[in-house]
Amino acid sequence: MTSTLDAPVSAAATRPLPKRRRQRNGPLIALLLGPSVVLITLFIVLPAVYSIYLSLTNTQLTGFAARDPQFVGLDNFAYLLTNGDFLNSLGQTATFTFFSAIIGQTVLGMVAAILLSRPWLRGKGLFGAAVLMPMIVPEVVASLAWASVLSNNSEGTLNRLTGLFGADPTDWLQVVPLTSIIIVNIWRGVAFAMIMFQAALEDVPAELIEAARIDGASALQVFRHVTLPLIRGPVFLYLLLTTISTVGVFGLVYFLTQGGPGGQTRIAAIYIYERALQFSQIGIGSAASIILLVIVLILGIVYVRLAKVEV
Amino acid sequence: MKRNRAIAVGLTTLVAAAGLTACSAGDEGSDGPVTITIMEYQQTRIDIVESLIPGFEAEMKEQGRDINVELIADQLNDEQFKTKITQQFIAGEAPDVIDMGDSLVPGFAGAGYLAPLDEYLDDWDGWDHWYPQFKDASVRQDGQIYSLLNTSGVLNLFYREDVLTDLGVETSQPQTWDELIDRLVEVRDATGDTPIVLPAGSAWGGGTWNEGFQPLLGGTDQDYYDPETGRWDLESPGWEAVFDLYADLAEEDLLPVQDLLNPNPWQPTKYEKFPAGEIQVAAQGTWGWKFDWGPEGATPIPDLTEKVSTWQFPGLRDGDDPFGWLNLGGVYTIPESSEHKEEAMLLMQYLTTGTPLAEQLVASGAASPRDDITDVAPYADEPELLQAGVDQETSVFVPTGDGSDQIAQAVASATELILTGDADGQEAYEAFVADATELLGPNLVKE
C-alpha cells in the first residue's frame, strides 16, 4: 500500500475569503506587503536582472573598455565553459560542497541531534552550547580563530598538538588547503544541521519507534526504516539550504587562503570575485554567477523532487 | 477602509518628509563654507595627512576662502582599496581627493572616473618644479594628465650587508644575474635559507607586476609597450627572459616559494624573514627605509642603515647594465564626479609643496618628485631619501597605459605556475601570452 504523508490541511485554511472582506483588506494587505515587495524588487530582482544583462556584455570596471561596453551575446558563457580555471573552480566548489555540507555537516549534525534526543545523555546543555558556538561566532572571528589553529609556525594550536607527538610544524593551509577549509566549514555549519534535525526528530511519533522495537528492530534498523523516512522532508530541506549557502561561501575561504595556494581553493565564489572585482571584468564575473545560479537551481529542483515522501 | 487610507497617506508623508530632510541636510549654501573630502588608506599616510589638514584650512582662511577638509581614513590593503574605490567611482560617491598608487591611474583614467588636471597644472607655478621625467610619465595615453605625484623613489635590491659579510659573501654590486645567483647559492648552502624575495604569484596582487616583474622587464627590454599605438608587444624578447629568471630562482630553491603562495606573502618575507636576516635580498622601493623597516615602520630593523644596503638590479641579458627602476609611488587624483574640483586642487597643491610635502616624504620613505625640496626639513635630514632622489635621474622607467591591469593579472598567474612547479620559464611565458592575449583583446595587442 502506498500513502502520501502530507500534513493535513484544514478546510478553513483553504476556503477563499469572501469578496467583500478581501476588498476591505486590500489596502491594508498592500500596505503591509508593499515595503517587502519594493525591497525584494530593488535588492534582489533588479540586481539579478541587471546581472543577466551584464553577463551578455563585455563590461569592464576599468580601462577604456569601461566607457563603451558592447553586447557580446553568449560569448562570456562560451568562454567560461571552455576555461580551465573556471571549470576547476566549479570542480573545487563541488568537492567543497559535497564533503563539507552534504557529508560533513549533515552526518555530524544528525549524530549530534540524535545524541541530544537521547534521554540518558548527561550535560545536554553544555553539549548543545558547544555545538552551537560556531554558528553564533561572526565569520571574521571564526576565520581568525582557525587561522590561529592552522598557523604554520610552532605556536599554531594544531601544530602544538602534533608537536606533542614529536611532529614538526606543518603549514596546514599549504599542505592540505582544501581539506582544511572543508573542516572549517563543517565546524561552522554543523550547528544549523543539528537544530533542524533535532526539531524533525521531535516530530517522529514515539509509538512508531516503540512498535518497531517490539517487532525486534535494532537501533540502526529503526533509524534506517522508520526515523529517516519520516524526517526525509526536513533532511532534504536542510540539504537544499546548506548546498545553496555552501556554494556561496566566500569570506571564510578568502580570509584563510584567498583561493590559494596555486588556486587549490579557488572555489567559484572566489573566482567570481577575482574576475569581477579584482580584474574588473564584471561581464565575465556576472556570467560566472549566472552559471552558478543555474547549477544551484538544478540542484534545488532535484532536492525538491527527492523530498517528496512516499512510504 | 478610510482609516487604512489615512494610515497609508500618513506613512507616505512621513517617509517623504524624512527623505527631503535627509537630502536638504547635505546642501551647503553657495556662499558658505565648502567641505571637501580626502581619502587615505594606509595608516602612515592617514597620520601624516591628518596632521597637515589644519595647516591647509588655516592657509585658505588667510586667503579668504572657507574650505573645510574631512579626512576619510579607511585602513585597507591595495587590493581592498582598489575594489572599494572602484565601487565608489561607479556610484559617483568617491571623495574629492583620492591618494592612490600611480599604477591604478591608467585604468581609472581610461574608464573616465578621473578628472583631467591639465588646466589646473598649467595655471600653477609649482608644476614647473616637477622633474621632467615625472611630468612625462604623468601624461596618459590620451595625452592628458590625471594625477599629481606625491611620492616617488627607486626600486632596487635591498640586501642584508651584515649577514652577507658574516657569511663571507661578496657585497659589491653584482653586474649580472648569473653573478648574483652564484652568491645566493652560497648563502643558501651556508644557511639553508631561500635568500631572495621577488614579488611573484597571485597572492601578491598587483605588486607582482609593479614591484617585481616590470622592473626586471624594463631593465632589459623597453619595447614591450608602445605608447604611440597603446599596444602591448607580447613577443618582445624581455618577457621570456624574465620568466626564465623566475624559473631559475625557483628551481635553485632561492625563492621562498611557500611564503609567496600564501595570502599576504609580504608578511613572512619582508616583515619577518628579512628583518630576521633569514631572507638576505629583497626587491624593494625607497619606502623600505621608512615604511617597512624604519624606526616607525611596520617591522623596524635596529641600526637599519648599518645592516642594510642596496644594489641596483643586475643586468639580465647580454649587454645589460645594472639599473634602478623609477618608481612612481603615490599620486593625488580628483574624481570626475567631484563638485569641488577647484578646492580639491588647492588641497593637492598645498600637500605637494614645501614643508607639507617634505613631511609626507619622510613619513612614507620616499624621494621627492620636485626639484625644490632637497633643502626643506625634515626631508633635508634624510640621506637615504636624498640619495634616492639623485638616483631617480638615472633610473629606468617605461610608461604604460590601458591594459596594465590585465598584464598584471596574466603575469601573476604565469609566475604562480612557476612557483607551484607546474611550468618552467618557457611554459610560463606561453601561458602568459595566451592569457594576456585573451584578457587584452585584439585592440591592445601588437599584431
Side-chain angles (χ1 to χ4, degrees), chain B residues 224-309:
Chain B
Y224 60 88
Y225 179 78
D226 183 351
E228 297 294 322
T229 61
R231 288 172 184 262
W232 297 80
D233 183 358
L234 304 180
E235 292 177 5
S236 206
W239 296 103
E240 191 169 352
V242 180
F243 279 114
D244 282 339
L245 173 64
Y246 271 94
D248 289 345
L249 294 171
E251 196 178 327
E252 292 279 357
D253 291 328
L254 301 175
L255 280 177
V257 167
Q258 293 298 309
D259 292 331
L260 289 169
L261 287 170
N262 269 334
N264 306 327
W266 50 87
Q267 193 70 37
T269 53
K270 288 194 176 178
Y271 293 162
E272 290 173 18
K273 291 183 179 174
F274 188 84
E278 293 164 3
I279 281 178
Q280 292 79 13
V281 183
Q284 175 69 42
T286 307
W287 64 89
W289 295 116
K290 294 285 178 186
F291 188 82
D292 290 323
W293 304 313
E296 310 293 327
T299 316
I301 298 177
D303 305 320
L304 176 65
T305 54
E306 291 167 24
K307 292 179 178 174
V308 174
S309 192

